């Protein structure tokens, strides 16, 4: 029913809904409302946004910490079960594999049953939403529960599935940001504002990344690089504020739980600070960047091909269509069988969790040198003091383990990305890059046991630094970002390797961006999300292209002097949501926009009192209360493609009409823009 | 509002989440930590529950007429109302008539003609509202005294309008105005009904014409007893009707189609009551806007919509 309003006696101000006026205990209610109004006035003097941003950051930190806590408990339980189950091979194998199979299939089934779009990383969809496209129901609050449960179950499988937390957590924080934005609109009492909504979503994306790693700087910069095409400096402040609140709260909770004494970095390293590296090592860092770039091209290409294959292949597509949990269970079985520690998993250090992987890889000793002469025994359980021993195998040395890890994890990770579960894909490629760097560092430390600059002081090569550079370079190349360098420093608290790491990242990005779309762009391509692509490359001749070349010329206009029968015919025969309103049929001067729903409604409630002898026309319908929107922006047919693209992206537009000397001649939507860009980049072969 | 419901639920869920997190963070050397979590969590849960419980008030659907509100509410409220009512699809005339009926209900406890539906609430709101109107003093129910005032104001306006009409009639017709004071609104029964219906379609009609039919419409659809008292007055003054009717015809000429439909409606409402329908049908044909010297063709005209409909 419509909202009816009334005024309190003696109360000047906005009329309130009648339901509120007639509610019980009016005096208490009034006093409470008065108190809340006073509080609102006092608090919101600084601007109400900051409180909601702080609430967003704190809330996401709490959720992230709670998830980590729950996941840690499940993983500990699994480890206890595995160690306590005895020595029988079958039982141990079952205990190793049944856990991931059950958890992944439950995660897949649960999240898919609530929302089918909850699988995978959420970052491509968030990227599309932040560029102005409206993806319905993607930010519903019911996706929240599905994603939290699914993500917790996925992460509880640990390094068997080799998946991370970033993507779905960004989605979760954007959902929370949208929700808090609605709370804010209600508290302030103003009407809906699209721009403020978008600001809140952008801050939510930044908070998501920052809270996962407890790294505010790299979090904000990563979210800008990955998810926004245009970013206003105003959003910069908001993102940083929210991200800092979130990161601070996250680290504070770790202190409260007596896990740490004070707020420090997650992965502590002990690199040399005074002479971290020798100057010639920079060449090797850059070479590492190039290697990571080439590998990342291969990774992106293979991942996209496998996704297409899974969709096209009869067996897998049928399995995915009928029973997603079955597919997840099969994939989990394959992954768990390979990572079974007494079997092949021995060569992949599969008993380590994801965090332990990183901790060992950033170790400042050179394993090759330490294990050159002696080969330590393989402990029954991972030794917490010497976790790096997991990487050492007596027959195949450290090198064998690392190479085997690289080869196997390449296709295992791609297989894991096809499973329809909410999972993040950043941490696995970070670890993968760290292994690449570690391998190069170990090779170098074998080749130059005394360090590169001979004579004088001996500065042995630190493979840990190479692992750091490799991690940053590979992950940066796969996601087409540079802020992973900063992330590496924030995670370890070590900034002494700033320049070599940054150079490695730049070289890797240069190679990767020339040949392949990024990981998230690849997902957008595969899922066919309605994202407006960049106009890449200056050589494709995009500058001379104007609106007149690609606009939609078939435009159904409604003239004010059209008769009602013609209007009804037009409305019934076309299916657009809004019609351009022109002055007369001859002049076609664009004067406004009429929404289809309003027009249909006005036509249905047509009053009977036409004066006899007068032909009713559209003008009368409009005068009788059909609302029209004014045209605020118009394109000219001579506007360039770049200008139009910028307009659509900056202002989050959906539709623009093209007028030539006042006459409405066409319309441009994102569909036409996308088609124009695709024709430019892939020109159709002339027949 | 669906949004507020999600906010309430979210508030309670957040409180429960804080409570559970406090339980997990329990460490004996830092009691202030989980103490804070417990405190915040329980405050939020309790606050959310109280807020949800206070949402149980009667859901009353209430149908006003926007035209009457225009003079009373502030422009902001007017624009708010217009925004909301512009989404309403149904045509205006029935609401206008209902409101006018309500405006002239002198017997306050009887709210049946205002379509109030009480949904999902145990208390009966009428005792709460009726005494408010009776006393005219509000202790918090703000809409009611305003609307009561509106009704009073409208009644006053009507009488003024009648005076004006009287004066005009006297000027044009030079008939004795003495006896027409009481009977003038009742004598122009049919025309006023027509005016009342045309008001819905053309809200910009002149105010005196609009105010005049106000006493007629509610009287027409009141209880049968009231109707008979009005008809008794009509019987008293047969002579002045024609002159009044001529005056009415000169002032406004509503379309004939609406007259017929209204007549049909009037007939239906009157035929619905069981008491003496024939007498009412005869009474209907007193105030015919056509030339008074030809009752028979009008009777046939009057019957047409009944036959066709």
């Amino acid at each position: 029913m419509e909202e009816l309003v009334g005024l309190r006696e003696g109360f000047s101000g906005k009329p309130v809904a009648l339901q509120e006026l007639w509610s019980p205990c009016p005096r208490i209610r009034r006093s409470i409302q008065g108190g809340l109004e006073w509080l609102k006035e006092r608090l919101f003097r600084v601007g109400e946004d900051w409180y909601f941003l702080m609430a967003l950051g704190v809330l996401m930190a709490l959720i992230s910490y709670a998830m980590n806590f729950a996941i840690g408990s499940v993983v500990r339980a699994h480890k206890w079960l595995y160690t306590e189950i005895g020595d029988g091979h079958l039982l141990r194998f079952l205990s190793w594999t049944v856990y991931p199979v059950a958890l992944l299939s439950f995660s897949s089934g649960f999240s898919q049953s609530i929302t089918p779009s909850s699988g995978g990383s959420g970052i491509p969809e968030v990227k599309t939403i932040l560029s102005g496209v409206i993806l319905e129901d993607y930010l519903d609050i019911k996706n929240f529960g599905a994603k939290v449960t699914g993500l917790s179950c996925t992460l509880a499988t640990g390094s068997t599935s080799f998946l991370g937390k970033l993507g779905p957590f960004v989605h979760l924080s954007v959902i929370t940001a949208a929700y808090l934005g609605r709370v804010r609109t209600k508290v302030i009492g103003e009407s809906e504002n699209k721009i403020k909504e978008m600001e809140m979503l952008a801050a939510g994306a930044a908070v998501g990344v920052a809270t996962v790693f407890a790294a505010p700087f790299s979090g904000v910069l990563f979210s800008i690089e990955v998810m926004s095409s245009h970013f206003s400096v105003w959003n910069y402040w908001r993102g940083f504020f929210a991200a800092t609140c979130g990161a601070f709260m996250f680290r504070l909770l770790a202190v409260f739980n007596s896990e740490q004494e004070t707020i420090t970095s997650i992965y502590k390293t002990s690199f040399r600070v005074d002479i971290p590296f020798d100057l010639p090592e920079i060449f090797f860092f850059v070479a590492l960047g190039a290697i990571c770039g080439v590998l990342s091209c291969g990774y992106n290409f293979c991942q996209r091909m496998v996704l297409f294959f899974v969709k096209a292949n009869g067996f897998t597509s049928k399995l995915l269509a009928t029973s997603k949990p079955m597919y997840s269970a099969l994939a989990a079985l394959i992954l768990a069988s390979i990572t079974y520690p007494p079997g092949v998993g021995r060569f992949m250090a599969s008993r380590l969790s994801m965090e332990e992987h990183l901790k060992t890889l950033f170790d400042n000793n050179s394993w090759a040198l330490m294990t050159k002469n002696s080969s330590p025994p393989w402990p029954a359980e991972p030794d917490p003091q010497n976790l790096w021993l997991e990487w050492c195998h007596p027959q195949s040395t450290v090198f064998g383990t690392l190479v085997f890890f690289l080869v196997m994890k390449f296709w295992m990770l791609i297989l894991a990305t096809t499973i329809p579960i909410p999972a993040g894909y950043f941490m696995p490629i970070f670890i993968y890059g760290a292994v690449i760097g570690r391998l190069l560092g170990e090779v170098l430390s074998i080749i130059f046991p005394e360090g590169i600059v001979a004579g004088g002081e001996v500065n042995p090569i630190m493979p840990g630094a190479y692992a750091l550079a490799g991690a940053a370079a590979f992950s940066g190349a796969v996601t087409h970002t540079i802020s992973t360098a900063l992330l590496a420093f924030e995670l370890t608290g070590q900034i002494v390797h700033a320049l070599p790491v940054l150079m490695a990242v730049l070289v890797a990005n240069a190679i990767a961006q020339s040949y392949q779309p990024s990981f998230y762009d690849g997902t957008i391509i595969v899922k066919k999300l309605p994202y407006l692509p960049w106009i890449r490359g200056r050589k494709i001749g995009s500058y001379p292209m104007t609106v007149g070349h690609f606009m939609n010329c078939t435009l159904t206009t409604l003239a004010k002097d059209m008769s009602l029968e013609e209007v009804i015919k037009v409305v019934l025969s076309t299916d657009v949501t809004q019609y351009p309103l022109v002055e007369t049929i001859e002049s076609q001067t664009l004067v406004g926009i009429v929404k289809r729903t309003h027009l249909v409604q006005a036509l249905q409630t047509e009053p009977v009192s036409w004066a006899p002898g007068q032909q009713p026309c559209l003008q009368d319908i409009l005068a009788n209360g059909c609302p029209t929107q004014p045209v605020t922006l118009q394109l000219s047919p001579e506007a360039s493609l770049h200008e139009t693209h910028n307009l659509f992206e900056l202002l989050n537009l959906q539709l623009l009409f093209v007028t030539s000397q006042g006459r409405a001649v066409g319309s441009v939507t994102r569909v036409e823009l996308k088609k124009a860009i695709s024709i430019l980049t892939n020109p159709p072969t002339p027949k | 509002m669906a949004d507020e419901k999600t906010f309430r639920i979210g508030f309670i869920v957040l409180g429960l989440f804080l409570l559970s997190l406090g339980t997990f963070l329990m460490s004996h050397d830092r009691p202030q930590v989980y103490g804070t979590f417990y405190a915040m969590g329980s405050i939020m849960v309790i606050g959310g529950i109280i807020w949800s419980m206070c949402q149980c008030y009667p859901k009353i659907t209430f149908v006003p007429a926007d035209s009457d509100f225009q003079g009373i509410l502030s422009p902001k409220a007017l624009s708010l109302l217009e925004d909301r009512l512009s989404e309403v699809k149904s045509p205006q005339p029935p609401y206008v008539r209902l409101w006018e009926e309500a405006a002239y209900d002198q017997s306050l406890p009887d709210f049946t003609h205002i379509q109030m539906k009480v949904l999902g609430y145990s208390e009966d709101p009428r005792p709460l509202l009726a005494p408010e109107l009776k006393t005219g003093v509000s202790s918090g129910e703000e809409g009611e005294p305003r609307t009561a005032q509106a009704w009073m104001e409208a009644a006053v306006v009507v009488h003024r309008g009648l005076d004006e009409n009287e004066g005009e009639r006297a000027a044009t017709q030079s008939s004795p105005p003495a006896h027409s004071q009481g009977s003038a609104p009742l004598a122009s029964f049919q025309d006023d009904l027509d005016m009342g219906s045309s008001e819905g379609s053309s809200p910009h009609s002149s105010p005196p014409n609009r105010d005049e039919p106000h006493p007629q419409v509610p009287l027409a659809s009141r209880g049968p007893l009231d109707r008979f008292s009005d008809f008794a007055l009509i019987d008293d003054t047969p002579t002045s009707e024609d002159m009044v009717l001529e005056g009415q015809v000169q002032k406004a000429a509503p379309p004939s189609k609406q007259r017929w439909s209204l007549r049909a409606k009037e007939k239906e409402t009157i035929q619905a009551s069981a008491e003496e329908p024939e007498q009412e049908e005869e009474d209907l044909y007193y105030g015919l806007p056509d030339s008074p010297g030809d009752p028979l063709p009008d009777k046939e005209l009057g019957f047409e919509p009944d036959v066709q409909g």
Side-chain angles (χ1 to χ4, degrees), chain A residues 434-445:
Chain A
V435 172
I436 298 175
R438 186 87 203 186
L439 183 60
L440 182 66
E442 295 291 341
V443 165
L444 282 178
S445 70

Side-chain angles (χ1 to χ4, degrees), chain B residues 201-214:
Chain B
S201 55
S202 50
H204 305 292
S205 52
S206 51
N209 290 334
R210 202 179 59 165
D211 291 334
E212 246 191 296
H214 281 180

Side-chain angles (χ1 to χ4, degrees), chain B residues 97-143:
Chain B
R97 296 186 56 202
L98 279 168
W99 183 241
E100 288 163 350
E101 294 162 16
Y104 287 93
D105 187 20
Q106 305 299 322
S107 58
L108 291 169
D110 182 18
F111 283 114
T112 48
H113 55 274
I114 304 178
Q115 289 171 3
M116 277 179 155
K117 294 170 207 151
V118 181
L119 299 169
Y121 188 68
S122 55
E123 270 185 31
D124 192 4
R126 289 178 204 167
L128 194 66
L129 295 166
E132 296 289 350
L133 281 165
K134 272 199 182 132
T135 56
V137 175
S138 76
S139 63
E141 271 59 39
E142 24 325 83

Side-chain angles (χ1 to χ4, degrees), chain B residues 93-302:
Chain B
Y95 291 100
V96 170
R97 296 186 56 202
L98 279 168
W99 183 241
E100 288 163 350
E101 294 162 16
Y104 287 93
D105 187 20
Q106 305 299 322
S107 58
L108 291 169
D110 182 18
F111 283 114
T112 48
H113 55 274
I114 304 178
Q115 289 171 3
M116 277 179 155
K117 294 170 207 151
V118 181
L119 299 169
Y121 188 68
S122 55
E123 270 185 31
D124 192 4
R126 289 178 204 167
L128 194 66
L129 295 166
E132 296 289 350
L133 281 165
K134 272 199 182 132
T135 56
V137 175
S138 76
S139 63
E141 271 59 39
E142 24 325 83
E144 291 316 288
R146 282 269 177 175
T147 53
Q149 215 179 357
W151 300 341
M152 300 305 170
E153 278 175 11
V156 167
V157 164
V158 164
H159 291 305
R160 261 188 264 125
L162 284 172
D163 289 337
E164 288 169 14
N165 270 339
E166 275 187 11
E168 286 171 359
R169 242 188 325 112
T172 53
Q173 313 265 333
S174 63
S175 62
H179 62 277
S180 58
Q181 173 73 33
S183 64
L186 308 164
S188 55
F189 186 69
Q190 200 58 44
D191 275 323
D192 299 329
L193 286 174
D194 299 339
M195 311 290 273
S197 71
S198 68
E199 182 196 338
S201 55
S202 50
H204 305 292
S205 52
S206 51
N209 290 334
R210 202 179 59 165
D211 291 334
E212 246 191 296
H214 281 180
Q216 309 309 317
V217 176
L219 290 171
S221 43
R222 261 200 231 162
L225 272 173
D226 289 341
R227 209 174 282 127
F228 286 131
S229 64
D230 297 334
F231 287 129
L233 284 169
I234 290 175
D235 287 335
D236 287 340
T237 59
T239 53
S240 60
E241 286 164 21
D242 298 341
M243 292 180 282
V244 171
L245 287 169
E246 279 168 14
Q248 289 297 322
V249 167
Q250 284 167 16
K251 278 175 204 144
S256 48
K257 188 166 151 197
Q258 279 185 326
R259 250 179 287 143
W260 292 338
S261 61
L262 204 59
R263 219 172 286 160
K265 267 191 212 157
E266 266 305 299
K267 252 187 266 162
E268 282 157 28
T269 53
I270 289 167
Q271 280 160 8
S273 69
E275 298 168 60
E276 295 185 83
E278 290 160 20
Q279 189 183 357
E280 297 165 16
E281 278 176 19
E282 285 174 0
D283 293 337
L284 263 181
Y285 295 108
Y286 279 158
L288 290 174
D290 290 351
S291 54
D294 202 4
L296 267 176
D298 292 324
K299 254 191 217 169
E300 289 170 359
L301 282 170

Side-chain angles (χ1 to χ4, degrees), chain A residues 410-492:
Chain A
F410 189 83
W411 67 266
M412 282 168 69
L413 181 56
I414 292 180
L415 174 65
T417 57
T418 62
I419 306 178
I421 41 172
Y425 307 120
F426 182 79
M427 191 54 108
I429 57 180
F430 197 75
I431 296 175
Y432 197 84
V435 172
I436 298 175
R438 186 87 203 186
L439 183 60
L440 182 66
E442 295 291 341
V443 165
L444 282 178
S445 70
I446 286 286
I447 296 178
F448 302 104
E450 305 293 317
I452 295 187
V453 177
E457 292 150 30
V458 170
N459 296 314
I461 294 182
M462 271 194 309
Y466 286 87
L468 197 64
F474 189 73
S475 53
V478 166
T479 56
H480 288 199
T481 58
I482 302 178
S483 48
T484 47
L486 197 55
L487 179 68
F489 301 134
E490 280 194 283
L491 279 181
T492 56

Side-chain angles (χ1 to χ4, degrees), chain A residues 250-266:
Chain A
F250 188 71
R251 305 318 312 281
L252 204 62
L253 283 171
V255 172
F256 286 159
N257 207 15
S258 309
E259 288 166 13
Q260 289 174 345
E261 292 295 320
T262 179
I263 295 180
T264 54
S265 54
I266 302 181

